[in-house]
Amino acid sequence: MNLTDASLQRVDTHWAVLAVGEAERDRALAVCGARLVKRAVGNQIRIEFPEHGRDEDLLSRLAMAYEIAAIEGINAFLSLDAEKAALREQCAAGAWRAFEIGRLFDLPRNEHDRILHVLHLSALAYCGDRWSDLRRWYNENPQAAQVAQDGGAGWHHRLLYRLFNCWIRLIRKSSWEDLDQIAEIIAGLRAEQSSYEARALDSGSNAADRAMALRLICLYHWAKGTELLATYMLQGEPGGIAALLDKHFEAAIDAAALGADAELEMLMRWLHLTARQMVGGSLWWVARAVNSRVSRFVHEVTKHQAMFELLPPQRAALQEQGLLDQAATAIVVDMPTSGGKTLLAQFRILQALNQFDRDKGWVAYVAPTRALSAQITRRLRRDFAPIGIRVEQLTGAVEIDAFEEDLLTSTGDGSVFDVLVSTPEKLQLVIRNRKVPRPLALVVMDEAHNIADETRGLRIELLLATIKRECTTANFLLLMPYVEKAETLARWLAQDVNAGRAISFSTTPWMPNERIVGTYCAAKDTAVRGGWHMAFQTLTTTPRAVHLDGTHQVGGVKPLDVPRSKLTLSLQTAAMATVLSDRGTSIAVANSIDSVWTMARHVDAVLQPLSPMPDEIRLVQDFLRTEISPDFELVGLLGKGVGVHHAGLSDEARALIEWLAEEGKLKVLCATSTVAQGINFPVSSVFLASRYLPQGHRAREMYPREFWNLAGRAGRMNHDSVGVVGLAADERSQAQVAEFVSRATGQLVSRLVNLLSELEQAGRLHQLETVIQGEQWEDFRCYVAHLWNEKQSLDAVLADTEQLLRNTFGYGILRTEPNGRAKADRLLEATRNYVRRLAQSPGAVALADTTGFSPEGVGKALAGLSQLEQKLTVADWSPEGLFGQGSHMAALFGVMLRVPQLAESLRDLGGEGPGDRHLAEITKAWVEGRGIQDIAREFFQADQDQTRAITEACKAIYRSLANAGTWGISALSRLSGLDMDQLPEADRRRINSLPAMVYHGVKTEDAVLMRMNSVPRSIAESMGDQYRSWAGERQGDSELQQARRFLRELGSDGWDRVCPKGSHLSGAEFKRVWELLSGEKR
Amino acid sequence: MGLPTGKVEYALGTGQVTGCGLSFGAEELDGALAGPVASLVFDDAGKADVAAILESAADTEFGDAAVRRILEDADTVEDWRVGEALAESYITQHRGCCFPWPDSRDERKAGSSLPGADLAGLHQDGDAHRFAFGEVKTSNEGTYPPGTMHGRTGLKQQLEDLRDQVSIRDGLVLYLGYRAKNAEWLDRYRTAAQRYLADRNDVRVFGLLVRDVPPHEDDLRARVAKLGRGCPESMAINLVAMYLPQGSIATLGQRVVGMRNGGGA
């Protein structure tokens, strides 16, 4: 059962709560919020909230009132009777609130009272669906879980203390072993019974002995129930656990009741509910009705990841909302950040693989960025590899290289992958070119709200439309946060009202943690001359936040060494992050990379060096020294716990910075907003210098969804009770910022609909034929061209055009809206006209699918190639021919610069010198293996400082070159007139490897293989050599899989052998970096 | 036949805390022992429960021989248990109280240090109700007040705890809450709980002393005075000393068992 906001509202007006008084209730809840915040951030933020002498009594009375409400529903809680649903909810809601208040009370000093208090509070948390809050409470109150010393204690105390110890283990579930010891503890008690029991039953009073006998029987049943519960959490056995728990807890309750042992009876009642709730939320309970794959998976994650229990939203999704219902072909899950979406996806993946087992079905997991793809791959491999499920990741390059080709097309028994992790762009290529000769069972799309994104939204929508059209067996699972009316999306994908399902958690009060949201600005401080401090104004209008009124001083005077007159919003942001970093990693988000570095420098200036320096920091410092430059500014910053995260770093550097954040080793992380792209590393606080995002050369206001997706990371589920979210606002913008933060996230709108609406508003709908040729419609044209390519006949395509459009999300919506019909008709007409135009150049259209260019892009590229001075031959498409002296690289870049899909990105590459030649030189230097520092110095330094030059070089290489450069080379190789099908296999393979060399910055195929398996670039070539001699002529697995095995099996001497002389990283450290980046070990 | 109102021997206090001494004759005592007291002392429903509880105890995989031996021997009734039953019976009949479960189950007090009260229930206050909590001590000592008044588990301490420790009262109110579900007294519980939640001192506390010596106000005088100091405004405390015929306490248990087995008092 999942609690809803509505049931919380109902319990707030329960007769017992109203007896306390409405105004008193509101006051008490406000006091709770303030106390929670004070405890969490009181050392950093001076919370202005005066308490009254009677508040303590008020809190107790209110907690009691909520508990009385809960008690009314306590019997119904375990009942399956549908008519008792309201009482069940009342019990959960009352317990939720009682816990909310009770967690703020001081612990009783007396040992016995403390134990009862802690168990009672834990039970309230469980019944109120707040076990994640409870675990955090344990972390914050270590004395609560202290195990009582039972030496010399009487038998019943001994039993109580040991059982308390068992329940602490059951609640915190810190490891498999932690739970495993429960059976031993109970066995120990049984062994001690004969030594202690007789004395307990010999008081001299018959009545006292009878009372004690009943008490002992109660405790024995409790012990047995505890033992059964622990075994079930570990092994999913015994079957029929619910009935067994009922039996023992009911017997315990009866014994306590007969002995009029009020305290024990009440405790047993609550723990009975807790035990049942724990079983119902356990992974085993979910697995019981599914299939063997799921059971093996659960066995794996319980044993090795200490993951025993589902979060409330996960449980609701799986048990109540039908995530595993096979009849639901499209499911959209709207879940907050940190709600545990990945686990849900894993369950659905296992189910899909099972369903398609006979046909060797595969699953596509789509992640929006390369970094997120890598993170997801690591997680899926960690959990799936032990149960024999193969997970592969495609690189972020917009082309399919030779190794990927092998991987995708393989049908051999031992080498086929089960799950493919990819970016949307890459999956588009895979699907359109039908690369995988097996049925697609399921598409999981993470961060699927990007469907409304201005730049990539249309591409994602059309990718889903293509899959819907061409992979008719595929099911869909879309994961996204903060979306209203997600069912519209589900119905579109399912093509059937009944088979589309939206699982939404917007109506549940569960959150990974509480948070406060506010605006901040610098305020004059007269304590010192020219003094200032940060002031944080908490907002009370934001959804799902502690509502605390007032303006509160943050930290002391001048947290950064900056005069007040020089305090930009970014620096104020850095000041907030610096002060709040005392309690864990704080993120400071600015709008530009320059601002990020400036923030980091100022934070660095006021922080002390980390002491002792964590090994993790040292490792990343040495990695940066080796892979970028010994003098790279970030190395020094990390020494003070300051990280940066932006597009001017390599993917690997960013991944390691994220790892440091995950491990809690960073104090302040200065970042651009790209840090939000789905990376799952929650932090203590998030501060944003602006609510605007740079977009091209202008700025646009964030969508509320984007803001919350970023801000939602504030608060680490297992660490912080309160996450702090702040947005910079000066006096003038205060009101607008407050209004912005209180906005609802709203529904997702198709980009197609938005494009047409914008056009209509501009009065240009009649010009759609022309507009459709524009850059924004590039993906749409590719979508239409693909249909042409499939049908190859004008009549057939024209007949199918409407169906093609109906497959999209946007067109379907337009057709059903009264104001949309006209736009839909215009779109259909314009599309048909475009089809007619395509019919005039069928050759270019055919190449659009293989290159990923639009037909117009293909035309421009072909024209450019035909104007080259020399026709390109097979020899030109070899590493030496392309990257060596006298190559045509510059000319090829010249052609690429004519293709709209590539040009903008390549022009962004910056640096000095004429475009095409400059690009070619950088590419050659990169493939040649020259270091980032070298490249920065030669191509980007000019009169800039080193940091800026390195940033520019990284942006150029990892963004422009890796995306547009590799795509361009791949596409041009297919357009250059070579008949690929007629080429010998070796030549074809070599040509197909060239873009990957550019992507990875290496010059041999073996080094590419190493890079694809996350080997750092500086040792990729030598590791590749070593691999080649190991691999020889081995057969079986694909090269990618073989290479992974080689690396896994490579001993420390192998890593030492490739370690360059004078390297900052030892062989063992290179290996550690590889383990981190590949996800082999975290 | 229930317990009559008794003869008022003395009355102390006039405000929130009052005390009175009541004496009862031999016939009056016999009538009470034959009537409601027996049903309070012999919890027949409880006995049936014991059998079921013992049956299931074996499934815990703990040994059950010792607890079985104790629980199967149910025929001894201690005198103080009868004293408590008399006290409960008295305030139920004459002071508008209702205690919704048998006091005989309250055996725990002698064997543990659990916080609570011997009696927890409801008190009719005009048309309204509030919670009533009581502590009972039975003593055949000759001193005034008796030794059971003092010490860690003495009546004095227990009453002060009930007066001062809100957590004890909270626990009892919640406990009654579990029992109130579907009970005929549910509405009364709600009324009392509403009063309590608005003011947790709004309760009535009873201190009952069961004696078999000549009545003397020294039993209660000091307590009435001292409990009155610092007594919360909305709380009422009533102390009652019940004087049974001299020397009758030592045989209370025996007599009640005898009567139940068919013999006379």
Side-chain angles (χ1 to χ4, degrees):
Chain A
M1 188 209 56
N2 229 51
L3 199 59
T4 61
D5 284 330
S7 49
L8 268 189
Q9 282 161 12
R10 271 194 296 276
V11 85
D12 285 343
T13 55
H14 184 268
W15 63 264
V17 176
L18 293 181
V20 177
E22 284 182 73
E24 286 82 357
R25 174 199 65 202
D26 295 343
R27 164 76 192 169
L29 293 177
V31 172
C32 280
R35 281 197 188 177
L36 186 76
V37 173
K38 269 187 194 174
R39 285 186 189 187
V41 299
N43 290 336
Q44 292 82 30
I45 305 179
R46 204 177 298 161
I47 299 295
E48 302 293 341
F49 185 92
E51 285 207 25
H52 308 149
R54 286 179 51 81
D55 284 342
E56 197 63 40
D57 172 65
L58 179 58
L59 290 189
S60 299
R61 281 190 289 134
L62 191 64
M64 193 169 172
Y66 282 118
E67 188 164 346
I68 287 175
I71 288 169
E72 280 185 349
I74 204 166
N75 289 346
F77 196 84
L78 296 177
S79 160
L80 300 172
D81 189 344
E83 285 176 13
K84 293 188 175 161
L87 270 177
R88 275 199 290 275
E89 280 195 28
Q90 180 179 315
C91 181
W96 165 289
R97 284 276 195 240
F99 173 77
E100 185 168 357
I101 304 168
R103 66 179 161 175
L104 297 165
F105 294 149
D106 291 337
L107 284 175
R109 292 208 182 131
N110 170 294
E111 191 94 295
H112 176 88
D113 293 349
R114 174 179 64 93
I115 287 175
L116 295 185
H117 173 80
V118 170
L119 289 173
H120 178 222
L121 193 64
S122 304
L124 289 173
Y126 258 88
C127 300
D129 257 349
R130 303 188 74 160
W131 67 257
S132 53
D133 291 333
L134 176 68
R135 276 209 207 169
R136 202 169 43 235
W137 181 82
Y138 274 103
N139 286 339
E140 288 165 357
N141 297 278
Q143 66 283 22
Q146 247 165 35
V147 176
Q149 295 304 313
D150 56 17
W155 178 228
H156 68 121
H157 281 122
R158 213 172 171 81
L159 284 159
L160 177 69
Y161 294 173
R162 301 277 181 89
L163 287 170
F164 176 64
N165 181 355
C166 293
W167 276 76
I168 294 294
R169 289 166 188 272
L170 275 169
I171 288 161
R172 71 180 174 207
K173 297 185 190 69
S174 51
S175 68
W176 204 86
E177 290 70 26
D178 208 36
L179 285 184
D180 194 37
Q181 277 170 17
I182 290 177
E184 273 177 46
I185 295 173
I186 308 274
L189 284 171
R190 290 200 182 101
E192 287 181 358
Q193 185 186 8
S194 57
S195 314
Y196 290 91
E197 191 188 54
R199 203 180 316 153
L201 293 171
D202 189 20
S203 69
S205 155
N206 175 262
D209 289 349
R210 285 175 65 80
M212 181 55 76
L214 289 168
R215 169 160 253 240
L216 292 181
I217 290 176
C218 169
L219 291 165
Y220 296 158
H221 277 291
W222 180 17
K224 181 65 189 175
T226 305
E227 186 182 45
L228 287 166
L229 179 59
T231 310
Y232 187 82
M233 295 311 284
L234 286 170
Q235 298 162 9
E237 290 171 345
I241 179 71
L244 284 168
L245 289 174
D246 288 350
K247 173 182 151 177
H248 287 287
F249 277 100
E250 280 166 13
I253 290 164
D254 286 347
L258 195 56
D261 203 333
E263 275 181 342
L264 205 50
E265 183 189 332
M266 287 194 281
L267 184 63
M268 288 305 106
R269 284 184 189 279
W270 280 113
L271 292 185
H272 182 198
L273 265 57
T274 307
R276 287 285 305 275
Q277 187 81 338
M278 208 182 274
V279 164
S282 78
L283 264 64
W284 287 112
W285 191 254
V286 178
R288 79 197 190 286
V290 196
N291 57 57
S292 62
R293 264 201 182 95
V294 171
S295 298
R296 278 184 284 141
F297 168 71
V298 170
H299 184 265
E300 179 58 30
V301 293
T302 48
K303 183 107 193 182
H304 299 293
Q305 311 302 328
M307 192 192 285
F308 298 96
E309 210 162 11
L310 297 165
L311 291 167
Q314 292 172 330
R315 203 180 66 221
L318 286 160
Q319 296 179 357
E320 292 165 25
Q321 305 196 30
L323 183 87
L324 298 181
D325 178 1
Q326 289 201 5
T329 56
I331 296 178
V332 180
V333 178
D334 155 33
M335 192 181 255
T337 318
S338 310
K341 286 177 285 188
T342 311
L343 184 72
L344 293 185
Q346 286 177 307
F347 274 110
R348 185 77 187 176
I349 288 171
L350 292 171
Q351 189 208 36
L353 289 176
N354 227 52
Q355 202 179 339
F356 284 77
D357 198 23
R358 199 180 302 164
D359 303 324
K360 293 187 186 166
W362 61 287
V363 172
Y365 196 115
V366 189
T369 62
R370 294 190 295 237
L372 189 60
S373 289
Q375 192 185 38
I376 273 299
T377 306
R378 286 195 293 266
R379 164 85 182 263
L380 295 181
R381 270 197 196 139
R382 183 195 72 188
D383 297 343
F384 283 167
I387 59 170
I389 290 174
R390 293 194 182 214
V391 180
E392 294 295 347
Q393 182 193 357
L394 295 181
T395 67
V398 193
E399 48 90 26
I400 294 166
D401 64 41
F403 302 111
E404 289 174 336
E405 181 90 29
D406 284 353
L407 181 82
L408 293 170
T409 53
S410 169
T411 51
D413 263 351
S415 58
V416 298
F417 62 87
D418 299 295
V419 183
L420 190 68
V421 184
S422 165
T423 57
E425 288 77 7
K426 191 84 166 221
L427 186 65
Q428 183 84 274
L429 269 183
V430 173
I431 299 289
R432 283 197 185 148
N433 292 294
R434 300 178 191 278
K435 289 286 181 191
V436 185
R438 296 180 285 134
L440 175 60
L442 172 71
V443 179
V444 181
M445 180 156 288
D446 211 344
E447 305 283 316
H449 56 281
N450 282 330
I451 202 167
D453 183 73
E454 274 191 33
T455 45
R456 295 171 88 191
L458 192 54
R459 195 173 308 155
I460 291 169
E461 178 178 340
L462 298 175
L463 166 64
L464 291 171
T466 307
I467 294 172
K468 204 163 84 115
R469 189 168 170 272
E470 296 189 5
C471 310
T472 47
T473 54
N475 290 335
F476 295 87
L477 175 64
L478 270 54
L479 308 170
M480 59 183 89
Y482 313 111
V483 173
E484 292 168 24
K485 292 204 174 165
E487 59 272 14
T488 324
L489 210 52
R491 281 187 204 136
W492 162 56
L493 287 169
Q495 322 201 41
D496 174 355
V497 174
N498 298 320
R501 186 158 299 172
I503 296 183
S504 174
F505 299 94
S506 50
T507 56
T508 67
W510 183 87
M511 289 193 302
N513 53 267
E514 314 257 3
R515 62 180 165 234
I516 47 170
V517 183
T519 61
Y520 54 84
C521 63
K524 189 174 177 180
D525 193 318
T526 51
V528 298
R529 205 169 151 204
W532 57 272
H533 66 249
M534 293 307 299
F536 186 64
Q537 183 177 351
T538 36
L539 297 174
T540 55
T541 50
T542 48
R544 300 185 180 274
V546 178
H547 288 174
L548 179 67
D549 221 349
T551 301
H552 323 275
Q553 179 173 339
V554 179
V557 185
K558 287 186 86 172
L560 294 185
D561 190 14
V562 181
R564 189 163 171 233
S565 58
K566 297 270 168 63
L567 274 174
T568 59
L569 291 180
S570 304
L571 288 181
Q572 294 177 42
T573 304
M576 290 294 289
T578 306
V579 176
L580 269 298
S581 70
D582 273 358
R583 55 190 294 270
T585 310
S586 289
I587 295 192
V589 181
N591 260 350
S592 70
I593 295 180
D594 276 349
S595 303
V596 166
W597 283 113
T598 307
M599 290 196 301
R601 285 175 198 130
H602 278 94
V603 176
D604 173 81
V606 295
L607 292 182
Q608 295 300 312
L610 299 176
S611 176
M613 184 73 74
D615 289 343
E616 293 87 346
I617 293 270
R618 218 182 282 280
L619 183 74
V620 177
Q621 284 179 317
D622 287 338
F623 172 83
L624 294 172
R625 286 188 182 107
T626 307
E627 294 286 318
I628 297 184
S629 160
D631 308 320
F632 187 34
E633 190 173 7
L634 181 53
V635 173
L637 295 173
L638 285 175
K640 297 222 183 139
V642 181
V644 297
H645 191 287
H646 52 63
L649 291 176
S650 66
D651 287 352
E652 288 159 332
R654 277 207 301 262
L656 290 173
I657 293 289
E658 286 158 14
W659 172 65
L660 289 178
E662 263 175 76
E663 297 291 311
K665 303 297 173 194
L666 293 182
K667 292 171 84 71
V668 176
L669 178 59
C670 301
T672 53
S673 58
T674 52
V675 78
Q677 269 298 354
I679 299 297
N680 187 16
F681 58 95
V683 290
S684 279
S685 2
V686 175
F687 300 102
L688 285 85
S690 166
R691 65 184 194 278
Y692 289 93
L693 289 177
Q695 190 157 60
H697 299 292
R698 60 192 176 91
R700 69 161 174 86
E701 195 175 50
M702 281 182 186
Y703 303 120
R705 186 176 302 108
E706 288 172 313
F707 171 76
W708 286 112
N709 203 22
L710 184 52
R713 277 151 227 281
R716 296 162 299 169
M717 193 164 76
N718 291 323
H719 296 92
D720 306 317
S721 294
V722 178
V724 183
V725 177
L727 197 49
D730 51 27
E731 273 173 26
R732 282 171 297 136
S733 60
Q734 174 69 35
Q736 292 102 298
V737 172
E739 185 275 326
F740 168 76
V741 173
S742 65
R743 269 184 228 161
T745 47
Q747 293 184 47
L748 281 176
V749 181
S750 156
R751 189 71 197 120
L752 198 57
V753 172
N754 270 346
L755 281 171
L756 290 167
S757 299
E758 285 162 17
L759 214 53
E760 189 180 42
Q761 278 161 19
R764 294 182 60 206
L765 202 55
H766 63 284
Q767 297 171 346
L768 190 56
E769 269 86 359
T770 321
V771 174
I772 224 172
Q773 294 295 329
E775 196 187 327
Q776 286 184 310
W777 290 82
E778 194 101 55
D779 293 306
F780 183 76
R781 294 201 302 276
C782 288
Y783 179 66
V784 178
H786 176 62
L787 177 70
W788 170 269
N789 213 16
E790 294 285 299
K791 302 275 178 186
Q792 303 277 353
S793 136
L794 179 61
D795 289 342
V797 177
L798 284 175
D800 253 16
T801 306
E802 175 155 26
Q803 197 48 42
L804 182 80
L805 291 180
R806 277 189 185 277
N807 258 323
T808 67
F809 181 40
Y811 187 82
I813 288 185
L814 286 175
R815 287 236 77 99
T816 54
E817 283 177 355
N819 301 334
R821 285 301 277 267
K823 281 178 270 187
D825 289 343
R826 275 302 296 133
L827 182 64
L828 180 60
E829 193 187 333
T831 309
R832 284 194 169 133
N833 288 338
Y834 179 63
V835 168
R836 290 189 186 97
R837 204 175 313 154
L838 287 180
Q840 292 161 16
S841 51
V845 182
L847 288 164
D849 267 359
T850 46
T851 58
F853 288 174
S854 64
E856 298 70 28
V858 171
K860 289 192 170 150
L862 286 172
L865 285 168
S866 69
Q867 287 165 16
L868 291 182
E869 287 173 12
Q870 285 177 304
K871 192 171 159 43
L872 298 172
T873 65
V874 176
D876 292 316
W877 293 104
S878 65
E880 307 76 39
L882 198 59
F883 308 122
Q885 290 296 318
S887 82
H888 298 281
M889 180 73 91
L892 289 177
F893 272 111
V895 176
M896 287 183 223
L897 286 165
R898 297 167 71 158
V899 179
Q901 275 160 298
L902 304 177
E904 193 180 348
S905 179
L906 288 174
R907 279 195 203 102
D908 268 0
L909 196 141
E912 305 141 28
D916 47 4
R917 187 167 303 278
H918 181 64
L919 287 165
E921 293 306 317
I922 296 172
T923 309
K924 284 181 191 172
W926 173 239
V927 173
E928 193 53 39
R930 285 176 61 188
I932 295 282
Q933 185 183 21
D934 263 7
I935 294 175
R937 198 176 292 145
E938 182 170 343
F939 299 101
F940 297 93
Q941 188 101 27
D943 48 0
Q944 314 192 56
D945 63 32
Q946 191 208 32
T947 299
R948 194 172 281 172
I950 287 178
T951 301
E952 292 297 321
C954 286
K955 263 167 62 180
I957 290 167
Y958 295 108
R959 214 163 59 174
S960 306
L961 204 57
N963 289 330
T966 56
W967 185 9
I969 289 171
S970 164
L972 294 189
S973 70
R974 279 159 179 75
L975 299 175
S976 65
L978 298 177
D979 187 349
M980 298 289 268
D981 291 339
Q982 296 304 312
L983 289 177
E985 165 68 19
D987 285 348
R988 205 165 59 225
R989 191 182 173 82
R990 202 174 54 228
I991 294 173
N992 279 344
S993 307
L994 293 171
M997 291 175 186
V998 175
Y999 186 82
H1000 293 294
V1002 291
K1003 60 186 174 197
T1004 62
E1005 286 181 41
D1006 289 329
V1008 167
L1009 259 183
M1010 295 300 106
R1011 294 285 293 137
M1012 290 173 89
N1013 277 299
S1014 309
V1015 171
R1017 179 167 168 259
S1018 57
I1019 55 168
E1021 297 286 358
S1022 47
M1023 190 63 96
D1025 293 344
Q1026 209 174 164
Y1027 165 69
R1028 183 48 52 207
S1029 46
W1030 175 88
E1033 298 302 314
R1034 277 172 204 249
Q1035 298 288 317
D1037 285 355
S1038 73
E1039 283 262 41
L1040 255 177
Q1041 288 160 339
Q1042 266 199 44
R1044 196 175 314 132
R1045 203 167 54 172
F1046 158 72
L1047 290 165
R1048 237 182 250 144
E1049 291 171 6
L1050 188 64
S1052 54
D1053 54 331
W1055 288 93
D1056 286 337
R1057 263 199 301 281
V1058 295
C1059 189
K1061 266 190 192 152
S1063 163
H1064 293 274
L1065 289 170
S1066 66
E1069 286 164 339
F1070 268 118
K1071 184 176 182 189
R1072 179 75 188 119
V1073 168
W1074 166 75
E1075 284 172 347
L1076 289 170
L1077 294 174
S1078 64
E1080 290 289 329
K1081 273 188 203 157
R1082 289 299 266 185
Chain B
M1 190 177 95
L3 202 61
T5 51
K7 180 183 168 204
V8 178
E9 300 286 351
Y10 57 85
L12 302 162
T14 49
Q16 292 165 258
V17 184
T18 62
C20 72
L22 305 168
S23 62
F24 299 87
E27 273 183 32
E28 290 170 332
L29 175 62
D30 287 349
L33 292 180
V37 170
S39 66
L40 289 175
V41 171
F42 298 103
D43 175 17
D44 294 334
K47 252 185 201 163
D49 291 346
V50 166
I53 283 169
L54 281 173
E55 201 176 322
S56 73
D59 295 338
T60 64
E61 293 175 55
F62 281 84
D64 64 347
V67 291
R68 183 175 289 278
R69 180 176 47 77
I70 303 276
L71 291 175
E72 283 177 346
D73 172 21
D75 286 338
T76 317
V77 174
E78 281 151 329
D79 303 323
W80 59 263
R81 284 176 60 200
V82 185
E84 277 188 8
L86 279 165
E88 178 183 342
S89 172
Y90 176 80
I91 57 172
T92 303
Q93 285 178 57
H94 303 299
R95 298 295 175 100
C97 287
C98 130
F99 299 102
W101 72 89
D103 177 51
S104 66
R105 294 187 182 174
D106 214 354
E107 292 157 306
R108 65 192 159 84
K109 292 303 293 178
S112 78
S113 58
L114 290 177
D118 293 333
L119 302 169
L122 299 153
H123 172 251
Q124 183 148 12
D125 185 13
D127 289 338
H129 291 86
R130 58 175 164 172
F131 291 115
F133 307 118
E135 291 287 2
V136 185
K137 283 284 180 257
T138 304
S139 170
N140 56 4
E141 291 173 72
T143 52
Y144 297 91
T148 49
M149 184 64 88
H150 299 287
R152 195 171 62 86
T153 58
L155 188 62
K156 168 183 178 292
Q157 186 62 48
Q158 287 176 333
L159 292 174
E160 283 172 5
D161 287 349
L162 270 177
R163 180 191 65 183
D164 302 335
Q165 290 193 28
V166 73
S167 61
I168 295 179
R169 301 197 294 270
D170 284 355
L172 295 166
V173 169
L174 287 173
Y175 190 47
L176 286 170
Y178 292 96
R179 307 195 161 260
K181 278 171 294 177
N182 308 321
E184 54 91 16
W185 46 276
L186 175 62
D187 288 341
R188 281 178 275 162
Y189 173 81
R190 284 192 178 169
T191 321
Q194 280 166 335
R195 278 179 78 166
Y196 185 77
L197 287 165
D199 175 359
R200 288 189 291 172
N201 293 320
D202 193 355
V203 298
R204 186 168 286 259
V205 173
F206 289 95
L208 297 135
L209 200 54
V210 181
R211 306 274 276 144
D212 59 354
V213 292
H216 198 290
E217 63 180 50
D218 279 359
D219 271 342
L220 300 181
R221 197 180 48 231
R223 289 282 63 77
V224 169
K226 291 201 172 155
L227 284 168
R229 284 177 220 147
C231 180
E233 218 170 281
S234 44
M235 189 182 287
I237 303 179
N238 299 144
L239 303 183
V240 180
M242 298 171 68
Y243 297 95
L244 307 182
Q246 285 195 34
S248 59
I249 286 181
T251 57
L252 280 178
Q254 217 176 320
R255 287 168 71 191
V256 85
V257 171
M259 288 165 88
R260 182 168 177 91
N261 293 339

